[in-house]
Amino acid sequence: MILDVIQRSLQSPNRLVPVESLLGRADGGRMPHVDVSLLTAEMAETACRLCPTSALSLVHREEKELLCLDYGQCIGCGRCAELKAFSIAERLTCCGVSKQRLVQYFDPERATEVETELDIPKAAGREILSLMGRALNIRQLDAGSCNGCEAEITALTNPYYDLERFGIHFVASPKHADLLLVTGSVTRNMAVAVKQTYEAVPAPKLVVAVGACGCSGGIFATSPAVAGPVDKVIPVDAYIPGCPPTPAMLLTGILEVLRRPTKPGK
Ligand code: SF4
Ligand code: SF4
């Protein structure tokens, strides 16, 4: 009986998804993509009106009116995708980056994107090589989440994504962690616990804010019960947008943050 099971398991095809096909993928995340060649000033204005979280806004810079898209505030509601110049992004290059790099600017008059600092993801092999031979322990911290982000984080450990293949593990105690993965806008009741958890992680440590709530407060940003996004309470090294981010976006973000050098003393 047991031998049959082992034999069948060995004969079945490998379902594990290669990391190359996961990195940068954003399908299912419902994040917008702007085709600036189709963008008009009127469309930019309508998009800002439709956007429920101010992820889309008009800004004046050097006597130009630009459309600003802040992925950190986007909840993927899809309203802007009803307009011709907007679609749902299949790929996203701003997972695991600084807050400034979550923001894109578009000039509807000249039909150009401006001040974009987003990187094209480097070859997947580099991430794999850089991770070989090292282990990373993650402590996930719910600072006031709706649990949507947790559901996606949990999926990272299933056999399809298999985060453990990179030597990345989730641990129960912050004392054993290298990286804090913080979800949710930080509620006032959780602010002290978040600070204490951060202090309990031994240096050098990394903090990644997850989801629209973690990045900007998301749909709870204006609630009186909320102290603010994660960086209002503890220092944050990188941000992963989405509401919730998909496992592929989380994986891309975690691998991206590992590529960057840790600040001395942290
Ligand atoms: S998908 Fe994001 S940017 Fe578009 S309207 Fe919704 S929240 Fe705003
Ligand atoms: S970002 Fe979205 S899914 Fe994640 S905790 Fe906030 S509301 Fe929930």
Side-chain angles (χ1 to χ4, degrees), residues 242-262:
C243 183
T246 62
M249 290 162 72
L250 288 162
L251 182 71
T252 305
I254 292 167
L255 295 184
E256 174 68 32
V257 80
L258 291 180
R259 275 209 308 236
R260 282 192 276 141
T262 310

Side-chain angles (χ1 to χ4, degrees), residues 25-37:
R25 238 172 71 179
D27 49 327
R30 308 176 320 276
M31 294 282 103
H33 166 77
V34 180
D35 183 346
V36 74
S37 65

Side-chain angles (χ1 to χ4, degrees), residues 7-266:
Q7 200 172 15
R8 244 177 293 146
S9 155
L10 289 173
Q11 283 165 355
S12 62
N14 188 357
R15 303 282 180 213
L16 190 68
V17 180
V19 70
E20 294 88 340
S21 67
L22 290 174
L23 289 176
R25 238 172 71 179
D27 49 327
R30 308 176 320 276
M31 294 282 103
H33 166 77
V34 180
D35 183 346
V36 74
S37 65
L38 301 174
L39 188 68
T40 61
E42 296 74 42
M43 209 183 287
E45 225 178 286
T46 312
C48 296
R49 261 205 319 275
L50 288 174
C51 183
T53 61
S54 309
L56 289 166
S57 59
L58 293 173
V59 294
H60 291 272
R61 191 166 286 185
E62 293 165 9
E63 296 177 13
K64 282 187 273 187
E65 189 161 72
L66 305 177
L67 174 69
C68 170
L69 167 55
D70 182 352
Y71 281 106
Q73 292 190 60
C74 175
I75 57 165
C77 71
R79 285 191 194 174
C80 58
E82 290 164 17
L83 302 167
K84 208 171 159 193
F86 295 78
S87 58
I88 303 295
E90 285 177 10
R91 303 194 68 76
L92 207 62
T93 53
C94 61
C95 293
V97 297
S98 65
K99 206 163 197 176
Q100 293 88 335
R101 287 176 55 206
L102 291 175
V103 184
Q104 288 182 317
Y105 296 94
F106 304 93
D107 183 348
E109 291 300 320
R110 288 169 186 74
T112 52
E113 187 180 337
V114 288
E115 291 184 33
T116 301
E117 292 175 36
L118 303 180
D119 296 333
I120 304 294
K122 311 228 170 35
R126 297 248 322 254
E127 277 85 357
I128 303 162
L129 281 175
S130 69
L131 288 171
M132 289 284 270
R134 60 191 278 199
L136 179 93
N137 290 333
I138 298 179
R139 171 67 157 90
Q140 196 264 316
L141 177 62
D142 176 351
S145 151
C146 76
N147 267 5
C149 285
E150 277 70 20
E152 301 300 313
I153 290 170
T154 305
L156 281 175
T157 56
N158 71 24
Y160 187 86
Y161 296 103
D162 192 16
L163 192 68
E164 299 225 341
R165 67 180 128 158
F166 306 113
I168 300 175
H169 312 280
F170 285 97
V171 292
S173 167
K175 290 182 184 167
H176 302 151
D178 309 299
L179 186 150
L180 267 187
L181 199 61
V182 193
T183 58
S185 33
V186 185
T187 61
R188 290 191 191 282
N189 286 346
M190 279 296 288
V192 173
V194 169
K195 275 186 201 150
Q196 286 175 345
T197 308
Y198 174 77
E199 279 154 21
V201 178
K205 53 190 157 191
L206 292 165
V207 179
V208 178
V210 173
C213 291
C215 294
S216 68
I219 51 172
F220 305 112
T222 54
S223 164
V226 163
V230 179
D231 58 12
K232 186 107 185 267
V233 181
I234 54 173
V236 172
D237 296 282
Y239 300 79
I240 301 176
C243 183
T246 62
M249 290 162 72
L250 288 162
L251 182 71
T252 305
I254 292 167
L255 295 184
E256 174 68 32
V257 80
L258 291 180
R259 275 209 308 236
R260 282 192 276 141
T262 310
K263 289 175 213 153
K266 279 199 75 188

